[in-house]
């Protein structure tokens, strides 16, 4: 019964946090896809998980690319917000948010409703297309 | 009529004196010292706190930091090089005030588009351009971190909220709202007496509440080594700060 209780259903409405610790995104973290792409929004019996972080350390913060395993496929994604508190005056989100991305940096979806931190604007060159589809900024 | 029923002329009664309510005096009577001015208990030289207070007063002369408590809804505009028009406005409820001296911080929480966002601001950071108090109300607790595990409706505030008008009366209203929580598991076990939370409507069974009381430490309130009486220190600092600010 304990095992059943620990499973998190991949529904976009409820995101019960199972682990109390809030760390940034690393291998095997469950993430929440935030754009309106079909791959991110169709339900699947397993939540999307991170399998690799493109970073010297294996820990991903806002603005890092990671490899996700969604619906049995591998897909790159960009981290737009995590539960771990970052530098002061930056926003801390209640869920680990991620935007699906192609290999050349183009976003898969067409709209991002959830708020995106302004810090991403620093690397405007790489993320210009992702920032263009974002609606709200924090 | 100046003639009594007896026929004698009535004594001239002067009209009653008008009562002047001196609002300035009323305001002075209510003293509010921001909690970051009070030095923490320790063996550091009070000179350090004096120098820090001078810097804090200097900043307050240039930029007005209003009086606010945990539970107020604030709107903070910060200077951001990456924002359009270089400034960024965030509205949220203050859930925690921490830090002493120049490193005093407060956390604002809001739920935007079903996503909870918290920003950890520093009071004396020069990037802050304006702090406005939109809604003044105290809550039953000093720390509203349990709002993370409460239903999101309790943390949603409109970004374009208008400031609630309020007279300059003395009392700040206390909102005795009992917040309803999401189902367990929570990030912290808020029912335990260590957190001493009065603002949650616990819908847990009696058995769980009794079990939580096992972790109570009733001897803590009688522990004399933990006592820190700040009344005299507050008086001194209040005088110093108010004199310096009035100059």
């Amino acid at each position: 019964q304990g095992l059943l209780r620990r499973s998190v259903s991949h529904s976009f409405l409820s995101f019960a946090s199972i682990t109390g610790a809030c760390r940034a995104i690393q291998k095997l973290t469950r993430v929440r896809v935030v754009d309106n792409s079909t791959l991110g929004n169709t339900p699947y019996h397993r939540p999307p998980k991170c399998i690799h972080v493109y970073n010297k350390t294996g820990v991903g913060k806002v603005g890092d690319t990671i490899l996700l395993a969604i619906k049995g496929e591998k897909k790159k994604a960009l981290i737009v917000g995590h539960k771990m508190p970052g530098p002061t005056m930056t926003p801390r989100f209640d869920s680990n948010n991620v935007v699906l991305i192609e290999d050349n940096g183009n976003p898969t979806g067409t709209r991002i409703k959830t708020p995106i931190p302004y810090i991403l604007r620093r690397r405007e060159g790489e993320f210009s297309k992702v920032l263009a589809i974002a609606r709200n900024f924090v | 009529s100046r003639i009594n029923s007896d026929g004698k002329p009535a004594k001239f009664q002067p009209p009653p004196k008008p009562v002047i309510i001196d609002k300035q005096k009323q305001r002075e009577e209510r003293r509010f010292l921001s909690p970051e001015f009070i030095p923490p208990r320790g063996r550091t030289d009070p000179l350090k706190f004096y120098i820090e207070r001078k810097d804090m007063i200097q900043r307050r002369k240039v930029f007005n930091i209003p009086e606010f408590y945990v539970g107020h809804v604030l709107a903070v505009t910060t200077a951001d090089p990456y924002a359009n028009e270089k400034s960024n406005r965030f509205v949220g409820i203050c859930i925690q005030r921490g830090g002493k001296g120049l490193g005093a911080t407060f956390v604002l929480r809001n739920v935007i588009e079903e996503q909870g966002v918290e920003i950890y601001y520093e009071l004396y950071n020069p990037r802050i351009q304006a702090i406005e108090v939109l809604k003044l109300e105290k809550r039953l607790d000093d720390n509203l971190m349990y709002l993370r595990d409460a239903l999101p409706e309790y943390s949603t505030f409109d970004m374009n909220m208008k400031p609630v008008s309020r007279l300059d009366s003395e009392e700040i209203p206390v909102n005795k709202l009992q917040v309803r929580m999401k189902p367990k598991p929570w990030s912290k076990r808020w029912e335990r007496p260590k957190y001493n939370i009065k603002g949650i409507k616990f819908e847990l069974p009696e058995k769980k509440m009794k079990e939580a009381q096992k972790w109570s430490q009733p001897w803590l309130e009688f522990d004399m080594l933990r006592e820190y009486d700040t009344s005299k220190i507050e008086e001194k600092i209040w005088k110093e700060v108010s004199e310096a600010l009035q100059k």
Side-chain angles (χ1 to χ4, degrees):
Chain A
Q1 217 191 25
L3 284 168
L4 278 173
R5 197 165 172 260
R6 290 235 130 212
S7 65
V8 181
S9 59
H10 177 43
S11 62
F12 350 110
L13 301 168
S14 70
F15 242 80
S17 63
I18 299 294
T19 41
C22 44
R23 296 271 159 262
I25 300 178
Q26 55 185 21
K27 286 194 188 186
L28 293 188
T29 36
R30 286 164 294 219
V31 285
R32 175 184 168 209
V33 175
V34 142
D35 55 8
N36 67 345
S37 53
T38 37
L39 197 54
N41 291 24
T42 40
Y44 192 62
H45 57 88
R46 303 186 69 183
K49 277 194 191 160
C50 167
I51 45 182
H52 188 260
V53 180
Y54 292 102
N55 210 342
K56 282 279 164 73
T57 67
V59 178
K61 307 273 169 140
V62 175
D64 289 334
T65 16
I66 57 173
L67 233 202
L68 283 189
I70 301 185
K71 293 189 80 179
E73 298 167 17
K74 291 185 279 193
K75 191 87 183 173
K76 276 202 186 175
L78 173 74
I79 304 177
V80 286
H82 47 69
K83 273 182 98 167
M84 172 166 173
T88 48
M89 314 286 260
T90 51
R92 186 203 82 105
F93 296 86
D94 273 357
S95 62
N96 300 319
N97 296 343
V98 126
V99 169
L100 294 181
I101 231 176
E102 306 289 331
D103 282 329
N104 49 11
N106 296 352
T108 322
T110 46
R111 258 186 307 192
I112 306 179
K113 252 173 67 176
T114 44
I116 306 261
Y118 275 115
I119 295 187
L120 278 183
R121 278 243 168 100
R122 192 188 287 184
R123 288 142 78 171
E124 185 102 46
E126 298 166 51
F127 308 139
S128 54
K129 292 181 192 162
V130 177
L131 294 167
I133 60 174
R135 288 286 191 79
N136 301 335
F137 280 93
V138 160
Chain B
S1 55
R2 297 242 181 81
I3 304 170
N4 263 354
S5 45
D6 293 352
K8 295 177 192 167
K11 196 175 169 190
F12 172 63
Q13 296 275 353
K17 275 190 182 169
V19 179
I20 308 168
I21 307 169
D22 198 358
K23 288 220 168 145
Q24 266 209 328
K25 265 195 186 166
Q26 268 190 352
R27 245 178 265 154
E28 268 176 60
E29 270 163 23
R30 184 173 99 212
R31 300 161 162 220
F32 170 71
L33 187 64
S34 224
E36 69 261 8
F37 279 106
I38 303 163
R41 195 167 72 143
R43 282 172 59 183
T44 29
D45 205 316
L47 179 68
K48 180 223 175 190
F49 300 122
Y50 177 68
I51 300 173
E52 240 187 344
R53 252 177 281 142
K54 274 200 344 187
D55 282 335
M56 282 151 77
I57 291 165
Q58 192 66 23
R59 173 71 180 157
R60 278 190 183 233
K61 280 188 188 165
V62 177
F63 168 70
N64 170 43
I65 298 176
E67 165 190 353
F68 69 97
Y69 299 87
V70 168
H72 283 213
V73 179
L74 306 179
V76 177
T77 20
T78 39
D80 206 333
Y82 307 113
N84 36 345
E85 283 161 51
K86 307 292 174 194
S87 72
N88 176 11
R89 184 170 194 257
F90 186 73
V91 172
I93 182 170
C94 176
I95 52 177
Q96 178 183 267
R97 279 190 83 163
K100 298 282 178 201
L102 284 169
T105 53
F106 62 101
V107 187
L108 289 187
R109 180 185 164 82
N110 199 347
V111 171
I112 313 174
E113 301 269 350
E114 299 147 26
Q115 168 73 63
V117 184
E118 288 175 12
I119 308 194
Y120 194 76
Y121 286 109
E122 285 162 347
L123 268 181
Y124 294 98
N125 196 324
R127 270 169 65 185
I128 296 186
Q129 285 162 345
I131 304 182
E132 304 144 24
V133 178
L134 295 180
K135 197 167 173 196
L136 272 141
E137 60 172 22
K138 273 199 210 186
R139 294 283 194 113
L140 291 167
D141 309 298
D142 260 346
N143 211 318
L144 295 178
M145 285 294 185
Y146 56 80
L147 285 181
R148 288 178 191 166
D149 299 316
L151 298 172
E153 62 196 26
Y154 294 102
S155 319
T156 25
F157 296 96
D158 188 21
M159 285 297 254
N160 306 321
M161 201 164 123
K162 302 261 173 76
V164 168
S165 61
R166 186 187 147 260
L167 306 161
D168 236 351
S169 49
E170 296 206 26
E171 305 289 322
I172 298 189
V174 178
N175 191 355
K176 304 203 174 161
L177 177 67
Q178 300 259 299
V179 158
R180 292 186 59 203
M181 306 290 275
K182 289 195 232 177
K184 273 203 161 196
W186 299 331
S187 57
K188 296 252 154 55
R189 293 175 221 240
W190 303 112
E191 74 275 8
R192 296 225 171 144
K194 160 177 158 190
Y195 298 106
N196 194 17
I197 290 184
K198 293 160 203 157
I200 301 185
K201 188 170 183 188
F202 292 110
E203 278 151 9
L204 300 169
E206 278 276 335
K207 211 171 145 190
K208 297 264 176 174
M209 299 299 291
K210 271 195 178 171
E211 208 191 308
Q213 292 300 317
K214 270 203 296 191
W215 279 269
S216 69
Q217 295 172 311
W219 56 85
L220 272 186
E221 58 172 315
F222 303 109
D223 195 342
M224 289 175 76
L225 283 182
R226 277 171 211 263
E227 281 171 9
Y228 184 37
D229 190 19
T230 50
S231 43
K232 289 179 192 165
I233 306 173
E234 263 191 59
E235 290 269 339
K236 271 196 242 169
I237 299 179
W238 159 257
K239 270 190 214 167
E240 201 189 306
V241 169
S242 52
E243 272 161 34
L245 282 175
Q246 267 157 25
K247 274 188 204 163

